[in-house]
Amino acid sequence: MRTGKARYLAPVVALVITASACGNDDGRSAGEENASLEATDLNPAAREDLREGGRFVWALGEYEEQYNMVHIQGNKGDVRRVMAALMPSITRFRPDGSYEPRKEFVLDYGVSEDGLKVTFELNPDAVWSDGEPVTWEDYEARVLTSKGETEGDLQVGSDEGYKYIDEVVQGDDEFSFTLEFSQPYADWPALFDIVYPEEYMEDEELFEEGYTAGEEFVTAGPFVNPEFDEVTQRITVTRNDDWWGDKALLDEIVFVNVAIDGQATAFNNDEVDGFYLGYDSAGYDLLQGKDGAYFTRAVNHGHRFISVNAGSELLSDKNVRHALAMGIDRDKIANVALSPVDWPITGEVNRLLRSSQHGYQDNSGELGEYDPERAGELLDEAGWTLEDGERFRTNADGETLTIGYVASEDMQLAKDEADITREMLAEIGIEVDVQNVPGNALFSDYIVPGNYELAAFVLTGSNPYASDSAGNFGGPYDEDGEDWGNNLSFHSTQEINDLFEEMGQETDPDRYAELANRIDAAIWEEVLTIPMFERPGQYVLKDDLHNWGEYGLAGDYVYENIGWAKEE
């Protein structure tokens, strides 16, 4: 079984902005500008001010095949956007990092004083779309599968948190249970961020194929019955009339795959009702001032970076990875991405903490500084030398240092980043072979299986806990050192793993932040990624659509509250 973890502190983490770098025309630093950002911007409205009915057409960047989020190929943001409308989870997070049970599925939960037991009282009204109740056995199956204790060759993406659970003990009935831990796990509210029916976790074929596009999904959420249209690349979900919580306001949500660079045009043509604008400069220019368009401006729980496949032969030498980090001007890339969309510009990024979170600091040190001279020296030490009159470095065998970079052909920024990186690294004697590939294939065919050396993408969080990043930077998860789960850099160290384990037990906010920063510094030392900038919290939606947009550290939408304003 393959296992890993996902990025998707504890309630002590608050939205306290700290200093950042880079000045702006009005004299404020980027950090001060970030401090002025709202925690969320959902164009909010009370349910009673919204009408029942209507359709929301939601633009996504990919039409996925795998919708089992426990599966390594299902650990994607666009998958979560669809499945969060359909499936159980246990916690509602607030923008300040606090939380409460998601009452539709968990009436109450709590942790023992020693942190070794977490008890759950489930909502007996919760039922799957096939009529079966959602019981403790569904939760137990998620634990066993995530821990790797289910028979079969299941490609599991995450065991973070679950690996500390010794046993799931049924309570007085099928709607209560206790998790018994081998050690305290402070971030337990992040467990069960999605739950599937028991049989889909226990049966290898159902795990692999039961939630793939076109299959009939068993669901339990405010929306139901996903219909897949491969021709139009659309997924339509409809209101669940048997939902036991607040009735969904919308009749249906239509998720439609639109090339990232085409989403603004689709919005302008009234083909979609909302999309993530981010750093699409052409889209920003097109829609600025458009009547009826609402732009969100808030903290986003994600960052963009260049992923470094340290498991590849060319990048297995840490000196080469250090040279890459010092040979790329991150501030220049951040400026190219953010200045056209009027967003605070800074190349300072913490992989585990957003600039809005307690304890945030930059940990890049000299590796985060653009220093092509030092980068060249490191390459010399690694045996890649630049001969007189040659443009690119070679080793003792005469092989050229050529690094592959894959980028989505559907996103202009990704192609620009690749070209800029190619130019920068050529200055230190590294040849970069850029391959622009279809956006739908970028992860499934290249990044997840490790068929790349450099690639830029985004990690976003579904909860405010830094420990949830363990799967992206820890491992390996098998004795042979070949199973890296969701660690797409295919490398880590024992120090990083140990620090994540210690942080997962910590409840003191200052110590938690200290450990997060130590981990970030250790990841810098290994150069598993090269962070570029925090992701802008900039969505565009029709101004009469409410409770949708940028949710920040809250981690997800309340789908049943998304709706259209009543007509005046």
Side-chain angles (χ1 to χ4, degrees), residues 343-366:
W343 205 262
I345 302 167
T346 172
E348 292 186 356
V349 180
N350 186 309
R351 298 171 181 86
L352 274 67
L353 300 173
R354 298 286 70 78
S355 58
S356 59
Q357 288 183 286
H358 175 71
Y360 167 87
Q361 68 182 40
D362 178 70
N363 299 297
S364 59
E366 65 177 13

Side-chain angles (χ1 to χ4, degrees), residues 267-426:
F267 181 87
N268 195 49
N269 294 338
D270 288 328
E271 296 168 3
V272 301
D273 301 316
F275 73 103
Y276 176 70
L277 175 68
Y279 16 64
D280 177 2
S281 58
Y284 184 84
D285 291 340
L286 175 67
L287 298 177
Q288 272 292 296
K290 178 179 172 63
D291 186 42
Y294 182 92
F295 284 68
T296 69
R297 191 172 181 86
V299 174
N300 179 274
H301 194 9
H303 74 286
R304 189 165 178 84
F305 57 93
I306 297 174
S307 184
V308 179
N309 184 355
S312 66
E313 184 178 354
L314 278 176
L315 302 184
S316 61
D317 188 323
K318 188 160 68 173
N319 275 347
V320 175
R321 301 199 301 275
H322 281 191
L324 291 175
M326 302 179 84
I328 294 174
D329 187 341
R330 299 185 300 131
D331 287 333
K332 180 177 180 179
I333 294 178
N335 186 69
V336 167
L338 302 179
S339 61
V341 296
D342 189 30
W343 205 262
I345 302 167
T346 172
E348 292 186 356
V349 180
N350 186 309
R351 298 171 181 86
L352 274 67
L353 300 173
R354 298 286 70 78
S355 58
S356 59
Q357 288 183 286
H358 175 71
Y360 167 87
Q361 68 182 40
D362 178 70
N363 299 297
S364 59
E366 65 177 13
L367 289 171
E369 298 294 327
Y370 179 53
D371 190 347
E373 181 178 351
R374 177 57 182 150
E377 294 172 355
L378 290 167
L379 291 172
D380 287 338
E381 294 174 19
W384 294 100
T385 57
L386 190 59
E387 303 300 324
D388 290 341
E390 297 296 327
R391 186 180 182 192
F392 299 117
R393 295 173 179 271
T394 55
N395 62 14
D397 296 326
E399 298 169 327
T400 301
L401 181 52
T402 303
I403 294 175
Y405 190 126
V406 294
S408 170
E409 64 183 20
D410 300 330
M411 183 177 181
Q412 187 58 49
L413 176 63
K415 293 185 287 187
D416 290 344
E417 290 165 341
D419 290 339
I420 293 169
T421 300
R422 175 169 54 193
E423 293 170 4
M424 289 177 181
L425 294 182

